[in-house]
Amino acid sequence: QVQLVESGGGLVQPGGSLRLSCAASRIIFSIATMGWYRQAPGKERELVATITSGGSTNYTDSVKGRFTISRDNAKNTVHLQMNTLKPEDTAVYYCNAVAIVPVSMKMVTSWGRGTRVTVSS
């Protein structure tokens, strides 16, 4: 079973920074497309950023210039550096993987359990 474990959430003041990490296991990480999504209270889950196996990135407009997604294939980890945080960034952030599972070689979409980010003074 694919495992995605997020870390790095917490409480931060507006204008502050946080770095989220997601450690993946039981996938062929190097060829996976990894992503971060978020869900604010009372709202639907939305895409924040994705990064392909080749390193191409995509961001939702509201985080462009403030957030940076990156990956470390040697450590099977994806990061989300969040700068200049705003109260509207408050949400539970979920790691997502679209990946191939070894042995079966099936493509699966998997989610982590989420990490909470609260931006408040």
Side-chain angles (χ1 to χ4, degrees):
Q1 186 174 354
V2 177
Q3 287 189 335
L4 301 174
V5 180
E6 302 100 334
S7 61
L11 173 65
V12 64
Q13 292 186 343
S17 298
L18 281 175
R19 188 185 193 220
L20 306 183
S21 297
C22 172
S25 60
R26 303 174 185 169
I27 60 173
I28 305 176
F29 185 85
S30 61
I31 60 172
T33 292
M34 303 298 296
W36 288 96
Y37 288 70
R38 66 187 180 186
Q39 187 166 17
K43 295 188 177 181
E44 294 186 353
R45 191 173 297 188
E46 65 171 353
L47 169 72
V48 177
T50 60
I51 184 166
T52 69
S53 59
S56 296
T57 58
N58 180 56
Y59 298 91
T60 192
D61 285 345
S62 63
V63 308
K64 286 180 180 178
R66 300 188 298 122
F67 291 10
T68 302
I69 189 170
S70 62
R71 64 191 295 156
D72 184 342
N73 287 343
K75 296 182 178 180
N76 285 12
T77 302
V78 62
H79 303 287
L80 184 69
Q81 178 66 42
M82 305 186 294
N83 298 328
T84 318
L85 282 160
K86 304 175 181 180
E88 52 263 44
D89 295 317
T90 296
V92 177
Y93 284 70
Y94 296 91
C95 181
N96 169 269
V98 179
I100 301 288
V101 177
V103 180
S104 70
M105 300 307 286
K106 291 183 178 180
M107 178 169 285
V108 298
T109 298
S110 299
W111 296 91
R113 292 187 174 185
T115 185
R116 185 174 300 275
V117 172
T118 303
V119 185
S120 176
S121 54

